[in-house]
């Protein structure tokens, strides 16, 4: 009986250790996303560009082109009225964070942020709009 109890406690301990890093990763990922959105709101595209992954930086080349893409393609991210972090899926070195954003006109968008962990910490490697609707989500 004691062996079963010890095994169960050890299993719970391992489970706890596996949950902790994901939770810490999610907090770090959410901070990167929040900080980039704050930079967009301030029209500070140089700072916003620092949160992009190396692949995104290569794709757009500079902060001005990146900012133009966000203004034109993701206006709900550039000027959100409300942001809510939803669930996240974790893998080694990557997190897919789902975010609900309401734009200035009250339309809700669910976005999927693909995040990668590198030498400089978590970076945004892509954003996809998964669905859009009006009113409450």
């Amino acid at each position: 009986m004691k062996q079963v109890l010890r095994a169960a406690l050890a299993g719970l301990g391992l489970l706890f250790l596996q949950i902790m890093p994901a939770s810490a990763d999610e907090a770090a990922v959410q901070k990167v996303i929040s900080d980039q959105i704050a930079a967009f709101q301030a029209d500070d595209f140089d700072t916003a560009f620092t949160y992009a992954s190396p692949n995104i930086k290569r794709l757009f080349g500079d902060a001005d082109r990146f900012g133009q893409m966000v203004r034109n393609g993701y206006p709900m991210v550039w000027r959100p009225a409300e942001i809510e972090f939803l669930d996240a899926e974790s893998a080694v070195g990557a997190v897919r964070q789902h975010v609900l954003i309401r734009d200035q006109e009250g339309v809700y968008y669910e976005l999927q942020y693909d995040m990668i962990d590198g030498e400089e910490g978590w970076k945004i490697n892509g954003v996809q709009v998964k669905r859009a609707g009006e009113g409450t989500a």
Side-chain angles (χ1 to χ4, degrees):
M1 181 66 169
K2 286 183 181 182
Q3 289 177 336
V4 172
L5 184 57
R6 274 190 223 144
L9 290 174
L12 286 174
L14 288 175
L15 180 62
F16 180 73
L17 290 174
Q18 289 175 350
I19 291 171
M20 287 299 289
S23 190
D25 286 347
E26 287 178 31
V29 160
Q30 291 175 4
K31 181 171 178 8
V32 168
I33 294 168
S34 295
D35 289 352
Q36 187 184 60
I37 290 173
F40 286 142
Q41 290 176 312
D43 288 331
D44 183 356
F45 296 110
D46 289 327
T47 298
F49 198 51
T50 67
Y51 298 106
S53 72
N55 291 336
I56 298 297
K57 288 179 179 177
R58 274 191 295 279
L59 183 64
F60 291 98
D62 63 48
D64 291 333
R65 288 179 53 196
F66 179 69
Q68 181 179 5
M69 178 276 300
V70 171
R71 283 191 307 270
N72 294 333
Y74 297 87
M76 76 291 286
V77 174
W78 178 46
R79 292 290 187 264
E82 182 181 349
I83 301 165
E84 178 183 348
F85 289 99
L86 304 174
D87 63 320
E89 305 156 20
S90 297
V92 176
V95 170
R96 180 166 287 157
Q97 175 68 58
H98 299 273
V99 181
L100 185 66
I101 293 182
R102 183 172 56 85
D103 72 8
Q104 297 294 325
E105 278 120 41
V107 178
Y108 285 87
Y109 299 86
E110 184 178 342
L111 293 109
Q112 174 182 295
Y113 278 78
D114 290 323
M115 309 291 294
I116 57 171
D117 193 12
E119 292 177 9
E120 298 177 14
W122 288 101
K123 299 292 181 181
I124 299 167
N125 198 42
V127 178
Q128 297 176 348
V129 178
K130 290 185 63 186
R131 71 174 167 86
E134 293 187 54
T136 56

